[in-house]
Amino acid sequence: QVQLVESGGGLVQAGGSLRLSCAASGSIFSISRMAWYRQAPGKQRELVAQITSVRTNYADSVKGRFTITRDNAKNTVYLQMNSLKPEDTAVYYCYAIVQYTATAPNEYQYWGRGTQVTVSS
């Protein structure tokens, strides 16, 4: 009932920048939390950054380099990634916690399919 579509990944040299976008569509009344995770080959998926109505959080490894923002009117979350390093290479996944309607308070988790980010040295 909800789709998350990421875009903006690609190949960039170390020190470069990329901006990821994730648009949520479907049966959406509200989104309490949106986040970006990443998974490198052979590693577990890890939280990169998350945003709610009151705060943002970042992994220590990206603090000061990445910025997460959100456009509530468009149900879209962005991840501006600056000063990229080879160790940032991974598939980046969008995540959202969605409430369908005002009368049904249950929330549901959704994942995007991921977008590849490759940083060359």
Side-chain angles (χ1 to χ4, degrees), residues 6-119:
E6 302 106 331
S7 62
L11 173 64
V12 64
Q13 288 188 333
S17 299
L18 284 174
R19 188 190 192 212
L20 305 183
S21 299
C22 171
S25 62
S27 301
I28 299 172
F29 168 71
S30 68
I31 303 177
S32 60
R33 174 175 172 245
M34 299 191 82
W36 289 96
Y37 286 75
R38 67 185 181 187
Q39 187 167 19
K43 295 188 177 181
Q44 290 188 332
R45 190 172 297 189
E46 63 175 356
L47 176 66
V48 176
Q50 63 179 349
I51 184 167
T52 67
S53 61
V54 296
R55 71 177 184 272
T56 59
N57 296 95
Y58 297 92
D60 288 342
S61 59
V62 307
K63 283 181 181 177
R65 300 188 297 122
F66 291 10
T67 302
I68 188 170
T69 58
R70 178 174 168 180
D71 185 333
N72 291 326
K74 296 181 179 180
N75 288 327
T76 299
V77 65
Y78 305 95
L79 186 68
Q80 179 66 44
M81 305 185 294
N82 298 328
S83 302
L84 282 161
K85 304 175 181 180
E87 51 263 44
D88 294 318
T89 296
V91 178
Y92 284 70
Y93 296 92
C94 179
Y95 170 87
I97 298 177
V98 177
Q99 180 177 343
Y100 291 154
T101 69
T103 57
N106 292 347
E107 293 182 314
Y108 300 87
Q109 303 178 62
Y110 287 92
W111 290 92
R113 293 187 175 185
T115 185
Q116 177 70 47
V117 171
T118 303
V119 184

